[in-house]
Amino acid sequence: MAAEIGNYKVIGPSDRTVPTQRTICWLVSFPKSGNTWTRILLSELLDPDGGDAEAADRLVIDLNGAISSSRPVFDDITGLSSADLSHSEVDLLRAESYRRMAAQADERMFVKVHDAYYADEAGVPVFPADCSVGAIYLVRDPLDVCVSYAHHRGNEPVAETAAQMNADRHGLGGGGTTQLHQETFGWSGHYRSWHDQRAIRLLTIRYEDMLDDTAACLQRMAAFLNLPQAHEPGTIARAVARARFDRLREKEERHGFRERPRRASSFFRAGRAGDG
């Protein structure tokens, strides 16, 4: 059945008008767990030529997709102003907005997700399986996440960051930001929510394994997504070389990086394990 938000009808599974396509790969993680690095690796893998030299020198993620919480994308697809809706009303529209995004895509999409996996008030999962290729879940030692996240939040005290990470109602975005509100359920709740669900097939990649053998982890992702590059060791090696942390830091120092929070001095800080 369809729900109602004011005068607007929210399309439910039984009254969809848009054909469903399995085009979305969800790139899922708690913040500061390697999501951006993974997107850069996949971007380099899918564009081995790297474009022209000037473009290749800049820090740009040339990957078809978006972040799941993008307010402009949501507003454009639904034709509504998310600023006029409550969090629960937005949630009622999110699954269908992703279906419509998938239906409009003419190639694979990679959508960054920091939300936990959960259902809206109508009991419908916010992330629909019927338009999903699968989900790659990136997990990192929470002690290291805490240090990196504290830096990301403007050198916030580590104890305060740890308390936020342990809060079941920990959220991101919302308010006057360009991102919709995102429920994470805290670090542990986030991990359990995605690993307890069975609707979307899941590949889990440890950040520490990515540091130890980046090429092997990228090959696993490519194989999971049935990409032809999974069988091209040379292409994988070039992608890994172009996405080394030292190169990313150099690019950020020269050109900046649009995903760097205003309160943080840099986005690419250390890229190592054990800081926690």
Side-chain angles (χ1 to χ4, degrees):
M1 295 183 62
E4 298 286 339
I5 296 178
N7 295 323
Y8 300 101
K9 181 180 179 181
V10 181
I11 301 174
S14 62
D15 29 40
R16 269 186 252 124
T17 58
V18 179
T20 299
Q21 295 189 88
R22 291 185 180 272
T23 56
I24 296 179
C25 171
W26 310 100
L27 299 176
V28 187
S29 71
F30 194 83
K32 306 309 296 178
S33 300
N35 203 309
T36 300
W37 185 26
T38 299
R39 287 160 57 225
I40 292 172
L41 282 164
L42 288 168
S43 177
E44 296 289 357
L45 181 69
L46 295 171
D47 184 20
D49 296 329
D52 60 73
E54 182 179 350
D57 186 53
R58 295 184 177 274
L59 189 48
V60 177
I61 302 175
D62 186 17
L63 197 64
N64 185 40
I67 184 168
S68 66
S69 59
S70 172
R71 191 182 297 277
V73 171
F74 175 91
D75 291 359
D76 182 62
I77 290 176
T78 63
L80 301 173
S81 171
S82 54
D84 297 331
L85 304 175
S86 68
H87 300 328
S88 60
E89 289 172 337
V90 167
D91 280 351
L92 287 168
L93 290 162
R94 284 181 68 177
E96 185 61 19
S97 73
Y98 299 137
R99 291 190 181 98
R100 290 173 181 268
M101 183 192 300
Q104 294 168 11
D106 55 7
E107 60 180 318
R108 179 74 52 82
M109 298 186 69
F110 296 88
V111 180
K112 177 180 179 179
V113 179
H114 283 324
D115 304 76
Y117 182 91
Y118 65 100
D120 61 27
E121 288 187 347
V124 176
V126 167
F127 298 101
D130 54 14
C131 64
S132 305
V133 173
I136 296 174
Y137 190 96
L138 305 158
V139 61
R140 184 183 187 185
D141 185 325
L143 299 179
D144 289 347
V145 170
C146 186
V147 173
S148 184
Y149 198 20
H151 168 82
H152 185 78
R153 291 159 65 100
N155 291 317
E156 177 183 84
V158 171
E160 186 175 329
T161 302
Q164 289 290 320
M165 288 176 58
N166 279 304
D168 292 342
R169 301 302 297 175
H170 174 258
L172 307 168
T177 70
T178 59
Q179 293 189 27
L180 303 172
H181 180 76
Q182 301 146 77
E183 293 284 354
T184 73
F185 296 174
W187 189 91
S188 297
H190 191 280
Y191 182 90
R192 287 196 300 268
S193 72
W194 278 95
H195 286 80
D196 288 347
Q197 64 85 27
R198 295 292 181 267
I200 300 174
R201 69 190 191 103
L202 193 72
L203 171 68
T204 301
I205 299 286
R206 295 175 69 248
Y207 181 82
E208 293 76 16
D209 291 340
M210 288 180 65
L211 292 174
D212 289 342
D213 194 339
T214 311
C217 288
L218 185 56
Q219 192 279 331
R220 287 178 61 201
M221 295 182 211
F224 175 75
L225 297 172
N226 198 29
L227 299 176
Q229 290 86 346
H231 309 290
E232 301 173 5
T235 303
I236 289 175
R238 283 192 294 273
V240 170
R242 289 173 175 157
R244 292 199 321 265
F245 248 82
D246 58 341
R247 296 190 65 174
L248 300 180
R249 281 197 302 269
E250 289 173 6
K251 287 185 177 184
E252 183 180 13
E253 288 173 2
R254 288 198 305 270
H255 304 294
F257 184 46
R258 66 181 183 179
E259 295 188 22
R260 177 184 66 83
R262 285 177 295 177
R263 292 184 294 174
S265 58
S266 64
F267 189 95
F268 297 98
R269 188 179 62 90
R272 60 175 176 247
D275 282 358

